[in-house]
């Protein structure tokens, strides 16, 4: 990859940006007022992000404490809004509609089910994608010939819009479709409870594994050949070389890839929404949190806002756990990659 | 897993470049065979479903579920059906919508993002890591959390049905993507040239414009492509914030209706999918090296 040529220049850039104060004086004309210029230059981005992300988030939180207009389920009176306290949140978390439990079949009764579905999809897809992606990356790293072909084919699933991917797999998994023909089965892929979940997992694995493989490959290519040579001389067999050399060295890149992938999987929407019409099986076998939010929007903004805030908090919590306890050092790894080591 | 012969292992790992040092191989070893098998499996895995979409797109609708693995009953009717508006589909208009939304989003994101990326890659300022953290955080932000407040807001100000209702939310993921990809590209630039330009009497602004921008052009272009693809592929926000007039292709294809209710027009959908996908695939194949570099340098979005 063209990045290798950047190693030397990347290092100099690093020395320059992190140079101690006296050294920095050498390029004084360029570095004078650097702090203020930096702020000015990032300002448009920060302002735009504040407008398109910051404002909606704050607004969603404010909305989530407002009552939705409608019949108050407790009193039977019509309310046009007002302060709701935490009732929108307790509605979802405790699955309570008014004073009673939400009846089965209503959106209110689906919160924990969709949390479970979302995490099930996340766990299944990430585990399969990382293992398969690891294997792909190792194969690609070892390939002499056909690197161009490999890279080209790996980019194809990534480039196809997820919505189109969902339609494509909808066709493949049709009752008379190629999947049932090839497997000689008669599975209702988009209708059965677990079949529809598997269909989504398979489609997601196809779409995302090649991308994971690319990220892992970038990590693999940094490992110097001498390291393997030394391990081989010391008598390590191929499995030992993989577990004792490759895995520890590729770990930082791998952890970041997994973190991004997990956060991406937690917000999964396109595939279940299109491939199984948001339901699948009994009607909510593939309802993820994102789908639940979209379903709720027309049934009350403020309640939907509470749900989307909960979704956001959940994803934030997962990211926090990853960075705090599992050592996914996003910024550092990002920086290291940007300095041209990858 | 990683069992390698001297030939297979050393050469492949020795060079991170695209042209590993070739050495004449005399033996066709077991490991080499396995490596080729791996390559074939990966290529088939990645391309088979896409191939099936293209084959079906050209297949007569009467043979929708034909399982012949090569093109048979070739016709262009499906493309005509896809573009036909008689069934209430507006695929042609949706293509133009996606193009407008994608181009506007890309221009805005790259215009704002290139300054931020320059500052992060090049300048030393207070709060730099905070900014980088914010940008990375923003890129992982769940789109669904924006949906409710934006839907309410845009409904109140009657923006649903306007392009701005689709471009503004797209900035939320296109801009972070632009910033970190460009930061990665900028970090690789030969900054000595900038110093030299300043020594020769340029202002820092001139040095950036006249010396670095031409060098950064390929990176900017790649980043623009990535931002465009991310916007072109967006579905969740667009499905709620657009109407029949402004809906992008992803929404149009997802809601494609056939001549009979409850009967999916598979071949027409595959034709539409082919039209949406093939330009992207061609673009990606032409620029594959740069795109892979951009993705892996700041790879976030799947």
């Amino acid at each position: 990859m063209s990045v290798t040529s950047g190693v030397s220049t990347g290092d100099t850039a690093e020395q320059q940006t992190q140079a101690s104060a006296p050294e920095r004086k050498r390029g004084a004309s360029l570095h004078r007022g650097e702090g203020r210029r930096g702020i000015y230059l990032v300002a448009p981005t920060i302002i735009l992000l504040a407008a398109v992300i910051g404002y909606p988030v704050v607004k969603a939180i404010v909305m989530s404490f407002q009552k939705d207009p409608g019949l108050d389920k407790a009193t039977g009176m019509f309310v046009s809004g007002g302060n709701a306290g935490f009732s929108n949140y307790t509605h979802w978390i405790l699955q309570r509609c008014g004073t009673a439990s939400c009846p089965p079949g209503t959106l209110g009764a689906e919160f924990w089910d969709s949390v479970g579905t979302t995490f099930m999809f996340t766990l299944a897809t990430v585990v399969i994608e990382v293992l398969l992606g690891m294997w792909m990356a190792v194969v690609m790293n070892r390939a002499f010939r056909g690197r161009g072909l490999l890279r080209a084919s790996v980019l194809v699933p990534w480039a196809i819009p997820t919505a189109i991917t969902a339609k494509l797999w909808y066709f493949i998994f049709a009752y008379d479709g190629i999947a049932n023909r090839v497997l000689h089965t008669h599975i209702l892929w988009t209708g059965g409870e677990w079949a529809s979940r598997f269909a989504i997992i398979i489609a997601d694995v196809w779409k995302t594994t090649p991308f994971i493989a690319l990220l892992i490959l970038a990590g693999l290519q940094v490992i110097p050949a001498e390291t393997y040579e030394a391990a081989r001389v010391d008598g390590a067999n191929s499995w030992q070389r993989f577990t004792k050399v490759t895995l520890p060295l590729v770990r930082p890149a791998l952890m970041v890839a997994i973190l991004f992938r997990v956060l991406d999987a937690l917000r999964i929407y396109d595939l279940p929404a299109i491939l199984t019409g948001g339901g699948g099986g009994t009607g909510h076998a593939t309802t993820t949190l994102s789908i639940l939010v979209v379903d709720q929007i027309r049934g009350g903004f403020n309640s939907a806002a509470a749900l989307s805030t909960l979704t956001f908090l959940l994803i934030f919590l997962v990211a926090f756990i990853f960075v705090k306890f599992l050592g996914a050092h996003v910024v550092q790894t990002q920086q290291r990659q940007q300095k041209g080591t990858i | 897993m990683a069992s390698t012969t001297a030939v297979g292992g050393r050469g492949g790992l020795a060079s991170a470049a695209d042209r590993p040092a070739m050495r004449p191989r005399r033996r066709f070893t077991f490991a080499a065979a396995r490596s080729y098998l791996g390559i074939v499996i990966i290529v088939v895995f990645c391309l088979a479903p896409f191939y099936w979409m293209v084959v079906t797109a050209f297949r007569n609708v009467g043979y929708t579920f034909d399982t012949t693995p090569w093109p048979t009953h070739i016709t262009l009717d499906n493309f005509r059906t896809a573009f036909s508006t008689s069934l209430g589909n507006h695929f042609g208009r949706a293509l133009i919508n996606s193009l407008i939304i994608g181009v506007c989003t890309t221009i805005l994101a790259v215009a704002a993002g290139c300054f931020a990326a320059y500052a992060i890659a090049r300048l030393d300022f207070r709060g730099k890591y905070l900014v980088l953290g914010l940008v990375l955080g923003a890129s992982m932000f769940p789109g669904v959390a924006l949906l409710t407040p934006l839907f309410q807001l845009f409904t109140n100000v009657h923006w649903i049905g306007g392009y701005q209702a689709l471009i503004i939310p797209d900035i939320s993921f296109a801009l972070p993507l632009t910033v970190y990809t460009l930061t990665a590209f900028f970090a690789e630039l030969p900054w000595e040239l900038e110093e030299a330009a300043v020594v020769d009497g340029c202002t820092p602004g001139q040095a950036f414009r006249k010396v670095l921008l031409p060098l950064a052009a390929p990176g900017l272009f790649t980043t623009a492509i990535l931002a465009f693809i991310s916007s072109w592929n967006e579905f969740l926000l667009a499905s709620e914030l657009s109407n029949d007039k402004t809906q992008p292709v992803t929404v149009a294809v997802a809601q494609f209706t056939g001549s009979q209710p409850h009967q999916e027009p598979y071949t027409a959908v595959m034709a539409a999918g082919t039209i949406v996908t093939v330009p992207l695939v061609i673009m990606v194949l032409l620029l594959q090296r740069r795109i892979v570099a951009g993705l892996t340098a700041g790879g976030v979005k799947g």
Side-chain angles (χ1 to χ4, degrees):
Chain A
M1 250 148 267
S2 64
V3 203
T4 40
S5 62
V7 173
S8 55
T9 51
D11 284 345
T12 21
E14 174 190 6
Q15 284 155 16
Q16 281 158 2
T17 43
Q18 295 185 347
S20 55
E23 274 175 331
R24 206 183 293 155
K25 291 237 167 65
R26 278 186 294 137
S29 58
L30 194 64
H31 290 284
R32 197 182 304 130
E34 208 171 75
R36 190 174 305 150
R37 232 174 52 232
I39 301 291
Y40 286 150
L41 291 174
V42 296
T45 295
I46 297 298
I47 291 169
L48 268 177
L49 287 182
V52 298
I53 296 181
Y55 168 73
V57 168
V58 173
K59 189 162 189 283
I61 293 171
V62 172
M63 282 164 74
S64 68
F65 290 106
Q66 306 284 317
K67 276 203 183 85
D68 275 318
L71 291 177
D72 189 317
K73 282 157 194 113
T75 59
M77 304 282 280
F78 186 85
V79 287
S80 58
N83 185 7
F86 281 93
S87 68
N88 284 327
Y89 289 96
T90 52
H91 163 66
W92 292 110
I93 293 173
L94 304 176
Q95 303 197 155
R96 293 189 78 77
C97 299
T99 49
S101 299
C102 291
T106 61
L107 292 179
E110 283 188 32
F111 177 71
W112 288 108
D113 279 349
S114 51
V115 170
T117 307
T118 309
F119 275 89
M120 183 274 296
F121 278 141
T122 304
L123 191 70
T125 55
V126 172
V127 167
I128 298 172
E129 283 162 15
V130 167
L131 291 179
L132 205 56
M134 194 75 176
W135 173 78
M136 277 191 185
V138 169
V139 170
M140 287 161 80
N141 196 27
R142 240 188 292 154
F144 273 106
R145 290 158 191 270
R147 278 191 173 226
L149 175 69
L150 268 178
R151 196 176 36 206
S153 19
V154 153
L155 281 173
V156 166
W158 168 82
I160 299 179
T162 315
I164 308 293
T165 306
K167 275 292 180 189
L168 168 58
W169 285 93
Y170 185 69
F171 173 58
I172 290 174
F173 283 132
Y175 186 71
D176 297 318
I178 186 97
N180 273 342
R181 293 289 193 84
V182 168
L183 299 170
H184 297 290
T185 51
H186 300 280
I187 300 170
L188 281 168
W189 283 102
T190 55
E193 185 178 7
W194 277 99
S196 58
R197 290 173 181 161
F198 275 120
I200 287 166
I201 291 169
I202 291 167
D204 196 71
V205 164
W206 176 74
K207 168 104 176 89
T208 321
T209 307
F211 177 71
I212 300 284
L214 278 181
L215 293 188
I216 299 175
L217 179 65
L220 284 182
Q221 287 177 331
V222 205
I223 305 173
E226 295 80 39
T227 323
Y228 287 97
E229 214 57 58
R232 197 177 291 126
V233 169
D234 288 347
N237 64 29
S238 57
W239 178 248
Q240 285 170 327
R241 286 201 299 273
F242 179 73
T243 52
K244 309 273 180 183
V245 179
T246 311
L247 270 186
L249 287 174
V250 86
R251 200 185 114 100
L254 190 63
M255 288 311 292
V256 172
I258 293 176
L259 169 68
F260 287 148
R261 198 39 223 143
V262 164
L263 299 186
D264 210 31
L266 284 173
R267 53 190 176 185
I268 183 169
Y269 176 80
D270 302 11
L271 274 180
I274 300 170
L275 187 55
T276 60
T282 49
H284 48 86
T286 60
T287 306
T288 63
L289 278 167
S290 291
I291 291 181
L292 197 59
V293 174
V294 173
D295 285 348
Q296 173 61 38
I297 279 188
R298 305 196 191 262
F301 288 136
N302 298 333
S303 192
L307 184 59
S308 71
T309 306
L310 281 173
T311 308
F312 168 53
L313 287 177
L314 208 63
I315 293 178
F316 184 79
L317 187 73
V318 171
F320 180 77
I321 290 170
F322 255 88
V323 175
K324 188 86 184 165
F325 299 108
L326 298 175
H329 299 295
V330 182
V331 173
Q332 288 96 314
T333 309
Q334 207 75 12
Q335 285 287 302
R336 218 174 300 138
Q337 296 192 350
Q338 283 167 6
K339 276 168 193 153
T341 34
I342 287 181
Chain B
M1 187 180 279
S3 141
T4 51
T5 62
V7 179
R10 211 185 296 141
L13 291 160
S15 162
D18 293 301
R19 286 160 272 100
M22 288 294 293
R23 62 190 72 184
R25 280 174 299 161
R26 292 180 200 90
R27 294 169 302 143
F28 186 77
T29 59
F30 172 67
R34 209 169 53 169
S35 174
Y36 281 116
L37 184 67
I39 294 171
V40 170
I41 291 174
I42 294 176
V43 170
V44 169
F45 173 87
C46 293
L47 296 185
F50 174 65
Y51 170 80
W52 197 238
M53 173 166 83
V54 178
V55 166
T56 311
F58 285 100
R59 197 165 268 172
N60 187 303
V61 68
Y63 296 87
T64 304
F65 294 111
D66 192 342
T67 50
T68 323
W70 47 85
T72 51
H73 310 287
I74 297 169
T75 171
L76 290 175
D77 282 350
N78 300 320
F79 293 92
R80 264 175 233 127
T81 314
F83 278 106
S84 140
T85 50
S86 58
L87 299 170
N89 302 313
H90 298 284
F91 182 63
R93 189 164 67 195
L95 273 174
I96 297 169
N97 288 341
S98 272
L99 208 61
I100 294 172
I101 296 161
V103 168
C104 292
T105 306
T106 306
I107 290 174
L108 281 169
V110 173
C114 74
F115 294 114
Y118 170 83
I120 293 170
R122 184 69 183 120
L123 302 179
D124 206 9
F125 61 94
R126 214 183 253 257
K128 175 166 145 175
Y129 290 94
L130 181 71
V131 172
L132 195 59
L134 275 177
V135 168
L136 280 168
S139 69
M140 294 175 216
F141 196 79
V144 78
L146 305 179
L147 188 58
T148 319
L150 289 183
F151 187 76
Q152 197 204 26
L153 178 72
F154 292 164
T155 308
N156 288 344
V157 296
H158 303 292
W159 272 14
I160 305 281
Y163 288 118
Q164 69 273 30
L166 297 159
I167 294 166
I168 289 170
D170 280 8
I171 299 281
S172 73
F173 56 83
L175 182 56
L177 177 104
T178 309
V179 172
Y180 59 67
T181 314
L182 271 182
T183 307
F185 277 127
F186 282 176
E188 285 174 30
L189 291 180
W191 294 101
E192 298 81 3
L193 284 181
E194 192 194 34
E195 306 264 357
V198 172
V199 170
D200 286 350
C202 282
T203 66
Q206 281 175 323
F208 178 72
R209 253 192 341 270
K210 295 189 173 165
V211 178
L212 283 167
L213 215 51
L215 288 173
L220 277 170
F221 184 64
T222 310
T223 309
I225 300 267
L226 291 179
F228 181 82
I229 290 178
S230 75
S231 163
W232 180 270
N233 292 1
E234 207 282 325
F235 173 74
L236 163 62
L237 294 162
S239 68
E240 292 297 311
L241 298 173
S242 68
N243 66 6
D244 283 353
K245 295 230 160 25
T246 56
Q247 65 175 204
V249 273
T250 46
V251 180
V253 172
Q255 296 174 353
F256 229 80
T257 46
S259 49
Q260 272 114 43
H262 306 298
Q263 194 184 339
E264 181 81 10
Y266 288 111
T267 50
V269 170
M270 292 300 113
T274 304
I275 294 169
V276 174
T277 310
V278 165
L280 287 194
V281 169
I282 291 173
M283 200 150 66
V284 164
L285 295 193
L286 289 178
L287 300 166
Q288 43 169 308
R289 279 170 203 241
R290 300 216 125 261
I291 285 185
V292 169
L295 280 178
T296 50
V300 174
K301 272 274 190 177

